[in-house]
Amino acid sequence: WDLKAKDYLAGKETTDPSGYLGRLTPKEQECLDWLKGAIDAEFPDLGFSDADLLRYLRARDFHKEQSLKMVRATAKWLAETQPAEIDMGEYREVHDNGFCLPAASLRDKSGRPLIWCFSGKYDPAVTERANKNLLKMLVTKVDLCHPPNETLTFAFDMTGYGR
């Protein structure tokens, strides 16, 4: 499956790979149903869609327990970092110095959500704030990833970095 996905993402695949919404094999559907049941029982308010859960399943080659372990780790991380609670207005200086392009409409040439960071404009004095800003941007962009483009582009322009 990995080779098929790599070819598909590179535009070489002529048929859609399985493992995505609307293209699940019976075994993949069974794994998704199992994971949904496990998540609903353990994290009823997590709010992951089928497409979200399929990302975890594909990342672990549809091994149910390994996928559940990843979801548990994500749920713990979300509880600790609370990215949904980050107020972008608090991080205005990160935008003002031009470190990252924040526009939700940025897309790469393949239509994927894009985050562009200018590392040379990074200010070590605002490390914690810049990290929170990046976290919020990343979570926001992941939410924009819908089939068929379930990936995003995160670019770091290193011009002027390490002065």
Side-chain angles (χ1 to χ4, degrees):
W1 187 90
D2 285 337
L3 183 58
K4 280 179 66 178
K6 288 176 186 172
D7 285 347
Y8 178 74
L9 292 173
K12 298 176 186 172
E13 185 72 18
T14 55
T15 60
D16 294 336
S18 65
Y20 291 83
L21 285 177
R23 300 188 304 264
L24 298 176
T25 66
K27 180 180 183 256
E28 291 166 347
Q29 183 64 55
E30 184 270 323
C31 289
L32 175 61
D33 293 341
W34 181 90
L35 186 58
K36 282 172 36 175
I39 298 305
D40 287 345
E42 196 168 338
F43 306 103
D45 297 326
L46 194 56
F48 280 6
S49 68
D50 287 359
D52 294 328
L53 295 177
L54 283 169
R55 289 183 192 117
Y56 289 90
L57 287 164
R58 287 192 306 269
R60 292 294 175 246
D61 293 325
F62 283 84
H63 289 104
K64 297 181 287 193
E65 291 293 336
Q66 292 175 8
S67 300
L68 179 58
K69 183 178 177 181
M70 283 182 68
V71 172
R72 284 180 177 140
T74 299
K76 179 182 177 192
W77 177 81
L78 287 169
E80 291 170 356
T81 60
Q82 299 182 345
E85 304 302 317
I86 297 171
D87 178 5
M88 292 301 283
E90 295 179 27
Y91 303 99
R92 188 76 244 165
E93 77 274 13
V94 177
H95 299 292
D96 289 346
N97 79 358
F99 174 55
C100 284
L101 296 176
S105 62
L106 287 177
R107 300 280 177 165
D108 69 9
K109 67 180 181 179
S110 297
R112 296 177 293 231
L114 170 66
I115 298 173
W116 197 282
C117 293
F118 297 93
S119 299
K121 295 182 179 183
Y122 171 71
D123 179 359
V126 296
T127 296
E128 183 64 29
R129 298 172 77 71
N131 288 346
K132 286 276 191 181
N133 176 62
L134 285 174
L135 172 62
K136 180 65 172 190
M137 288 175 60
L138 184 60
V139 169
T140 301
K141 293 292 186 169
V142 167
D143 288 344
L144 295 174
C145 295
H146 301 289
N149 289 328
E150 292 194 45
T151 58
L152 60 88
T153 301
F154 203 138
F156 288 92
D157 182 334
M158 301 301 284
T159 304
Y161 185 75
R163 300 168 248 193

